[in-house]
């Protein structure tokens, strides 16, 4: 009887040990599966982020726009006057601007309304439209052929035009020398002096307009050769209003002169109507 009790107790103890081991193994397996699930989610998220980051554009849209405006205002009028055609190898060629097509697809409807010409969505400001392009239409950017126009900001004095604080900082001779070298390289590649008189004249103009100002002496200022004349909205409105009012002014003057002539003729008849000659 005693041995039976011992055997039964041993069997029960063994069963409890086996049960605890099974529970522990089961828990470990569950934890392993759960960890694998988190790992898969993290891997999926990392893969998604990596995929999204392949479309990230490391080019400042704002500075690219500033460089384009400077080129359009201070260089292109002279290029057009010379009837000179920029080669595709020139970094200033419009096709080399990564954002040029998107800039052409901006519609400035009103002061507080900008519209995307791709999908017709409207935004309160150009800044939000730029973000929309980055988020929704990045696939339309031509990364294979186009380049970042913002890279030209140094030679073209973008900081001066954008009123950057760096303009008021102490002159850095190394940075000035680098920008001057890049500026002269632009002049050589865009306007080779061996390409004829027009290219030679534009080469000299580019040096005076942009490159000579890259100095710490402060003796020269950029854009010394002038710019494209811009017609302000107010001047345009005044011109249109003047053209509209000019015919009305002539009509009023003609009616006034006609009324004066009519009154003058009536006054000539009045004096002798009331006069009668006395009998002799």
């Amino acid at each position: 009887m005693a041995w039976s009790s011992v055997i039964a107790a041993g069997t029960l103890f063994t069963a409890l040990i086996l049960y605890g081991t099974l529970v522990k193994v089961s828990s470990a397996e569950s934890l392993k599966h759960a960890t694998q699930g988190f790992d898969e989610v993290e891997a999926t998220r990392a893969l998604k982020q990596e995929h999204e980051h392949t479309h990230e554009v490391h080019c400042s849209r704002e500075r690219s726009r500033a460089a384009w405006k400077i080129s359009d205002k201070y260089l292109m009028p002279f290029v057009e006057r010379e009837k000179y055609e920029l080669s595709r190898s020139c970094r200033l060629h419009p096709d080399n601007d990564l954002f040029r097509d998107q800039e052409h697809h901006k519609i400035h409807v009103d002061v507080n309304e900008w519209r995307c010409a791709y999908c017709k969505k409207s935004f309160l400001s150009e800044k939000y439209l730029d973000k929309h392009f980055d988020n929704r239409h990045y696939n339309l950017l031509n990364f294979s052929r186009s380049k970042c126009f913002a890279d030209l900001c140094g030679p073209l004095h973008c900081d001066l035009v954008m009123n950057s604080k760096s303009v008021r900082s102490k002159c850095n001779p190394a940075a000035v020398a680098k920008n001057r070298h890049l500026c002269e390289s632009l002049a050589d590649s865009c306007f080779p002096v061996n390409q004829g008189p027009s290219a030679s004249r534009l080469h000299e103009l580019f040096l005076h307009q942009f490159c000579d100002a890259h100095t710490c002496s402060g003796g020269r200022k950029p854009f010394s050769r002038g710019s494209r004349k811009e017609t302000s909205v107010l001047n345009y409105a005044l011109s249109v209003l003047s053209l509209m009012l000019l015919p009305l002014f002539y009509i009023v003057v003609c009616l006034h002169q006609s009324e004066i002539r009519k009154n003058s003729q009536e006054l000539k008849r009045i004096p002798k109507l009331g006069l009668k000659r006395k009998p002799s």
Side-chain angles (χ1 to χ4, degrees):
M1 187 72 178
W3 284 106
S4 305
S5 300
V6 171
I7 293 172
T11 304
L12 179 61
F13 181 75
T14 303
L16 289 174
I17 292 176
L18 290 174
Y19 177 78
T21 303
L22 290 173
V23 170
K24 186 176 181 180
V25 171
S26 177
S27 299
E29 289 293 328
S30 300
L31 181 60
K32 183 179 178 181
H33 286 301
T35 305
Q36 287 178 347
F38 283 123
D39 289 341
E40 290 176 359
V41 171
E42 288 296 326
T44 304
R45 184 184 294 112
L47 183 62
K48 182 179 179 181
Q49 290 175 350
E50 182 181 354
H51 177 69
E52 290 176 349
H53 287 166
T54 58
H55 301 291
E56 187 176 350
V57 181
H58 297 284
C59 179
S60 170
R61 188 185 292 271
E62 183 182 6
R63 290 179 69 80
S64 294
R65 185 159 51 239
W68 172 264
K69 288 182 178 179
I70 290 172
S71 173
D72 185 61
K73 184 176 181 179
Y74 296 105
L75 177 63
M76 289 307 166
F78 303 98
V79 175
E80 293 167 1
R81 188 182 304 169
E82 292 284 350
K83 297 181 179 179
Y84 183 82
E85 186 174 349
L86 292 174
S87 68
R88 187 66 169 75
S89 61
C90 172
R91 285 294 304 272
L92 295 167
H93 193 283
D95 290 346
N96 287 326
D97 182 9
L98 182 64
F99 301 113
R100 185 63 8 218
D101 184 67
Q102 290 189 350
E103 290 292 319
H104 284 317
H105 281 79
K106 289 181 177 179
I107 304 174
H108 194 186
V109 181
D110 203 347
V111 178
N112 294 321
E113 184 178 0
W114 289 77
R115 187 174 299 160
C116 172
Y118 293 121
C119 60
K120 309 305 179 184
K121 288 185 178 180
S122 296
F123 302 88
L124 291 175
S125 68
E126 187 178 17
K127 178 180 70 174
Y128 294 118
L129 179 55
D130 286 342
K131 290 183 178 180
H132 169 74
F133 282 147
D134 291 337
N135 294 330
R136 298 296 182 183
H137 302 301
Y138 62 83
N139 59 311
L140 299 177
L141 296 175
N142 189 349
F143 294 99
S144 60
R145 296 187 62 189
S146 301
K147 296 178 175 63
C148 182
F149 237 61
D151 294 341
L152 307 178
C153 267
L156 298 182
H157 306 276
C158 289
D159 290 331
L160 180 65
V161 175
M162 298 172 70
N163 296 320
S164 174
K165 293 181 180 180
S166 61
V167 176
R168 296 188 292 271
S169 61
K170 187 177 180 180
C171 184
N172 184 343
V176 167
K178 178 183 177 182
N179 286 331
R180 187 180 183 91
H181 174 70
L182 292 174
C183 188
E184 292 171 351
S185 299
L186 273 177
D188 293 339
S189 62
C190 295
F191 312 107
V193 292
N194 59 352
Q195 294 295 319
S198 294
S200 182
R201 285 192 294 268
L202 289 170
H203 185 277
E204 181 183 2
L205 178 136
F206 193 90
L207 294 178
H208 288 300
Q209 189 81 316
F210 301 101
C211 304
D212 288 349
H214 287 295
T215 174
C216 286
S217 64
R220 294 181 179 272
K221 293 183 178 181
F223 322 133
S224 58
R225 295 296 181 89
S227 64
R228 185 192 302 274
K229 295 185 182 297
E230 295 183 348
T231 304
S232 66
V233 176
L234 180 61
N235 291 336
Y236 180 76
L238 290 175
S239 300
V240 172
L241 186 61
S242 299
L243 291 174
M244 292 175 62
L245 292 178
L246 193 59
L248 183 61
F249 173 75
Y250 281 120
I251 292 173
V252 171
V253 170
C254 290
L255 290 176
H256 181 66
Q257 290 179 347
S258 175
E259 189 69 22
I260 290 176
R261 286 196 296 269
K262 181 179 178 181
N263 292 337
S264 177
Q265 291 175 356
E266 290 180 355
L267 288 173
K268 287 179 180 179
R269 297 192 196 100
I270 291 174
K272 294 186 179 181
L273 290 176
L275 296 176
K276 294 181 179 180
R277 295 187 65 179
K278 295 181 180 181
S280 55

